[in-house]
Amino acid sequence: MSDSTPLSGTGPSVTPLSDLDIARRAVLQPIEDIAAAAGIDPGAVELYGRYKAKIDPAKLSAPAPAGKVVLVSAMSPTPAGEGKSTTTVGLADSLARAGHKVMVALREPSLGPILGMKGGATGGGLSQVLPMDEINLHFTGDFHAVTSANNALMALVDNHIYQGNELNIDPRRMTFKRVLDMNDRSLREIVIGLGGPAQGVPRQDGFDITVASEIMAVFCLATDVADLRDRLGRITFGYSYDRAPVTVADLGVQGALTLLLKDAIKPNLVQTIAGTPALVHGGPFANIAHGCNSLIATQTARRLADIVVTEAGFGADLGAEKFMDIKARIADVAPAAVVVVATVRALKMQGGVAKDRLKEPNVEALAAGVANLRRHVRNVERFGVTPVVAINRFPADTREELDWLLGWCAGEGIQAAVADIWGRGGGGDGGDDLAAKVAAAVNGPSAFRHLYPLDMPVEDKIRTIVQEIYGADGVDFSVPALRRLADIEKNGWSGLPVCMAKTQYSFTDDASKLGAPKGFTIHVRDLIPKTGAGFIVALTGAVMTMPGLPAVPAAMRMDVDKDGNPLGLF
């Protein structure tokens, strides 16, 4: 939940309503009405109850994608909270309030962080997409479909090995794992096939979280069902004994995996509290994957709206860079403007203030912390896109602090606005100033460019990212990573873009180094070619592809009442 001015009728000393309480009090429109207002043909709407639907893009009469994209990113995340999803929803509502034809395009939340510590991904306060409890839990089953497809592949692979191994697959050189949409550290490293010859071939294995699955990345980068099938076939899941890559197409099961995903690939339509249509679809993490909602949902929204407000996960060093260098390469989705979300409290934490003292006014710490924001904004400018800083207001922010931050942005030549949209909502006037500045940026000049050309060697692509985006002096490749670089060159994959897997909390690969550090090196411990998704993952530092739960998981607060209504969900 992103704090801001409390709801009307409450005061500073009164605890604001929770996001769940606010969502329950909202009056939703039937999803058919939302679809009709968005210009969606009735025949393209597949109902999932009264307030959710899937949209079949093949049945839309809307023209080719032409709407402009506004990408919402942020400074480096902190435990203080930034409110990127809240800002995304509130900005879309505010643009709609100003008369623009707008749609929201968001990722689906993962159960892992919902039951762990991060929370959901439906916004907060009066800037939410609804029904928030259903979206944050099982929704329309898309993540279950991705999980099933991923695990079906691995069951078929292990069965192939057991049944004679015609493809000569080396069980020691698997690069694909089973997945689960859960944080479960005990599954990171396991051994399967124990119990004798009838139980399979023993080998070391492990689980990733579903949002780190290459099938999730393929799901989110496919342009249509045919492209989905082709990309699934190109996935390299391991190597043969003679070290040749083995793909899903070699196994001949891309058709079965597509069958499991044929309904999930259709975008999900929901609505904001203010009634703005929202497509919520797909959900790769941005610290271990590319961090953007599905390309199909974004392009569908661009067919229906003049402005599409979407987001990329975590800070601009991760999700936004991957949006520009991976997603924007595949289709014409280059952003017309980028919003960088910041908060006074998070900037003070970047400036060295402990979390329990963030409510205390401290302009000096704020001044120390803006180095983090500056680096993110300047990074956005490297792509030739206009950045706008959204200052997500919290109740403890003082006028002095807000004015100082606005003045600093003006002195840096950065467009900025205070967004008071948690309690006042994008449907109210809390986001009017931000919406006006974003609309001006969208209609202004743009000269979008990628950070690096695809024909650059993979090693140099990584070095470009870590030096120009992170501010590092250089990159150190482990011996296994150097061997993988040679394999990538040998197998003809060097023309793929790079997807950095790095901690979200720092520009470095050390989560404890806040602000805008200098004089550091990024350590690449391994490289994993994702030949179906079409990028190469560079694993840095200690980043995990299967997270663990905290000491007190959010699940400990959750329950249902006697009528089955959720409790404790944000």
Side-chain angles (χ1 to χ4, degrees):
M1 182 175 72
S2 170
D3 294 342
S4 189
T5 303
L7 289 172
S8 177
T10 65
S13 62
V14 179
T15 301
L17 295 173
S18 71
D19 289 345
L20 181 59
D21 290 334
I22 294 168
R24 281 179 178 167
R25 296 184 181 198
V27 177
L28 279 72
Q29 301 176 47
I31 200 65
E32 301 100 312
D33 294 348
I34 296 294
I40 300 172
D41 305 79
V45 180
E46 300 175 4
L47 298 178
Y48 277 63
R50 296 186 63 193
Y51 306 116
K52 300 175 294 183
K54 279 194 169 288
I55 304 303
D56 187 346
K59 296 180 180 178
L60 289 176
S61 61
K68 294 185 176 181
V69 174
V70 174
L71 177 65
V72 179
S73 186
M75 58 179 286
S76 299
T78 69
E82 288 71 49
K84 186 166 72 269
S85 296
T86 301
T87 302
T88 301
V89 175
L91 171 60
D93 286 340
S94 296
L95 287 166
R97 167 183 158 89
H100 300 279
K101 189 174 184 182
V102 183
M103 287 195 79
V104 181
L106 293 174
R107 292 176 297 163
E108 298 178 51
S110 166
L111 279 176
I114 288 168
L115 299 178
M117 63 178 289
K118 179 181 178 293
T122 56
L126 292 178
S127 294
Q128 296 188 57
V129 287
L130 303 177
M132 68 87 81
D133 54 330
E134 297 179 29
I135 297 170
N136 278 309
L137 296 175
H138 303 287
F139 200 19
T140 58
D142 294 346
F143 279 27
H144 299 307
V146 171
T147 301
S148 295
N150 186 107
N151 295 342
L153 169 59
M154 294 318 296
L156 290 161
V157 168
D158 282 309
N159 180 65
H160 180 90
I161 295 172
Y162 174 77
Q163 299 292 350
N165 200 4
E166 182 181 347
L167 291 174
N168 201 33
I169 300 166
D170 186 346
R172 303 165 303 173
R173 292 190 170 91
M174 291 288 186
T175 58
F176 212 89
K177 295 183 178 182
R178 288 165 169 84
V179 297
L180 190 69
D181 189 27
M182 201 64 59
N183 291 7
D184 192 345
R185 62 174 57 84
S186 63
L187 292 178
R188 289 171 183 162
E189 300 290 341
I190 63 172
V191 178
I192 63 172
L194 300 180
Q199 313 307 324
V201 178
R203 68 176 179 89
Q204 186 175 353
D205 199 5
F207 277 73
D208 289 336
I209 191 167
T210 295
V211 289
S213 167
E214 184 175 359
I215 291 184
M216 177 64 83
V218 165
F219 181 88
C220 288
L221 291 171
T223 55
D224 54 29
V225 173
D227 186 45
L228 173 67
R229 188 181 189 280
D230 289 345
R231 286 176 176 274
L232 290 169
R234 294 200 299 267
I235 290 174
T236 299
F237 59 78
Y239 295 83
S240 65
Y241 280 104
D242 55 4
R243 301 200 177 188
V246 188
T247 68
V248 170
D250 293 331
L251 194 63
V253 299
Q254 64 270 38
L257 303 187
T258 307
L259 182 63
L260 291 173
L261 297 170
K262 70 177 181 64
D263 294 316
I265 198 66
K266 300 170 185 175
N268 306 300
L269 177 68
V270 288
Q271 61 190 286
T272 71
I273 288 179
T276 303
L279 295 177
V280 180
H281 195 225
F285 273 2
N287 59 342
I288 50 182
H290 71 285
C292 310
N293 72 298
S294 80
L295 186 61
I296 289 177
T298 303
Q299 295 292 62
T300 299
R302 293 183 66 225
R303 293 173 65 182
L304 299 163
D306 297 327
I307 298 178
V308 177
V309 184
T310 188
E311 70 171 12
F314 297 127
D317 58 323
L318 288 169
E321 183 273 320
K322 295 169 184 180
F323 187 102
M324 314 286 197
D325 283 321
I326 298 175
K327 183 172 180 176
R329 289 186 195 267
I330 297 171
D332 183 19
V333 292
V338 174
V339 174
V340 181
V341 180
T343 64
V344 166
R345 53 190 283 133
L347 288 169
K348 288 191 290 189
M349 179 168 275
Q350 293 288 348
V353 176
K355 185 179 178 181
D356 60 0
R357 302 194 65 179
L358 291 175
K359 292 184 178 181
E360 301 173 11
N362 193 332
V363 173
E364 292 76 16
L366 182 61
V370 291
N372 182 272
L373 178 60
R374 179 191 287 112
R375 185 172 291 177
H376 283 294
V377 169
R378 299 307 178 209
N379 284 343
V380 169
E381 292 173 340
R382 291 177 186 272
F383 295 94
V385 183
T386 301
V388 178
V389 170
I391 304 169
N392 184 22
R393 185 182 170 201
F394 279 61
D397 298 346
T398 66
R399 189 73 258 171
E400 180 187 12
E401 290 171 321
L402 291 171
D403 286 345
W404 186 93
L405 184 52
L406 286 169
W408 177 84
C409 289
E412 294 279 330
I414 302 167
Q415 289 293 310
V418 175
D420 194 359
I421 52 179
W422 188 92
R424 289 161 65 183
D429 63 356
D432 284 357
D433 190 18
L434 175 62
K437 286 183 168 57
V438 169
V442 165
N443 294 318
S446 178
F448 176 76
R449 55 185 176 271
H450 302 296
L451 188 65
Y452 52 80
L454 289 180
D455 59 3
M456 178 183 283
V458 172
E459 184 177 357
D460 292 340
K461 291 172 189 169
I462 294 171
R463 185 172 290 106
T464 298
I465 294 170
V466 303
Q467 290 180 335
E468 295 195 22
I469 301 298
Y470 305 162
D473 288 344
V475 56
D476 175 60
F477 292 92
S478 70
V479 172
L482 289 172
R483 285 199 296 263
R484 194 78 75 179
L485 280 171
D487 289 340
I488 289 168
E489 181 69 27
K490 180 184 72 174
N491 291 316
W493 299 328
S494 58
L496 297 177
V498 170
C499 181
M500 301 294 293
K502 180 184 74 68
T503 177
Q504 65 269 32
Y505 297 113
S506 173
F507 282 109
T508 75
D509 53 18
D510 179 351
S512 67
K513 294 182 178 179
L514 304 184
K518 296 180 180 179
F520 64 92
T521 299
I522 293 290
H523 304 89
V524 175
R525 71 175 194 269
D526 202 0
L527 296 165
I528 305 176
K530 303 290 187 179
T531 52
F535 54 69
I536 295 167
V537 173
L539 293 170
T540 71
V543 68
M544 294 287 184
T545 53
M546 169 55 89
L549 291 168
V552 183
M556 304 299 291
R557 305 190 296 268
M558 297 178 185
D559 207 335
V560 294
D561 65 18
K562 61 182 178 60
D563 297 317
N565 296 311
L567 301 173
L569 192 65
F570 324 123

